[in-house]
Amino acid sequence: MAAAFVVLAAPAFVAAPAFAADLSVEVDGVEPGAGRVFVALCTGSLAEESCRIGQSGPAAAQSLRFGFTEVPPGTYAVAAFQDLDGDGRLGRTGLGLPTEPYGFSNGAGRRGRPDFAAAAFRLPEPGTALRVRLTRALPAR
């Protein structure tokens, strides 16, 4: 899996754009009580440098809601993972398979390598809501 995730504690907005949208992301499949859930809004790619707008929250319930405000309308993808070991990154095996729960918008990456085109969605003004389901590539140890 080529996708990387960025750890950001707060949205990376400096000034509100002239046109802005709000995005609500519901993350399902969380393993309650284990670590934090990270959600990133990606532009153009699922590579770490393209996923600079992010949030995180404690894995307190099976479903968590994250809100992004004043996002310029455009094409984005959402990447999410649950950081079970507390290192701020998606754990991987030596072959690159995720060892922690992860998910992408549109269910991309469930049956193979995720790509931006499969995860992409259009964020219109005034905004939208979507759901991302976390899954495991490998059984929990």
Side-chain angles (χ1 to χ4, degrees):
M1 175 181 295
F5 297 95
V6 172
V7 178
L8 296 176
F13 301 113
V14 176
F19 298 99
D22 293 339
L23 173 64
S24 175
V25 178
E26 179 108 10
V27 179
D28 294 330
V30 175
E31 297 176 16
R36 296 183 71 76
V37 174
F38 291 87
V39 178
L41 194 55
C42 307
T43 57
S45 167
L46 295 177
E48 187 172 334
E49 61 274 2
S50 298
C51 301
R52 294 287 180 194
I53 302 169
Q55 296 182 14
S56 72
Q62 290 181 333
S63 182
L64 300 174
R65 186 176 307 263
F66 295 87
F68 296 87
T69 59
E70 298 181 1
V71 179
T75 301
Y76 298 91
V78 170
F81 77 99
Q82 185 171 352
D83 183 20
L84 299 173
D85 62 10
D87 68 356
R89 302 197 70 77
L90 178 64
R92 297 177 187 276
T93 67
L95 297 174
L97 293 173
T99 59
E100 296 173 304
Y102 70 97
F104 298 95
S105 45
N106 298 328
R110 290 237 171 130
R111 292 197 166 98
R113 176 176 236 120
D115 71 356
F116 183 80
F121 63 94
R122 180 93 181 123
L123 179 62
E125 189 181 358
T128 195
L130 61 91
R131 190 171 293 242
V132 173
R133 177 126 183 99
L134 299 182
T135 189
R136 283 181 173 267
L138 303 169
R141 295 186 202 194

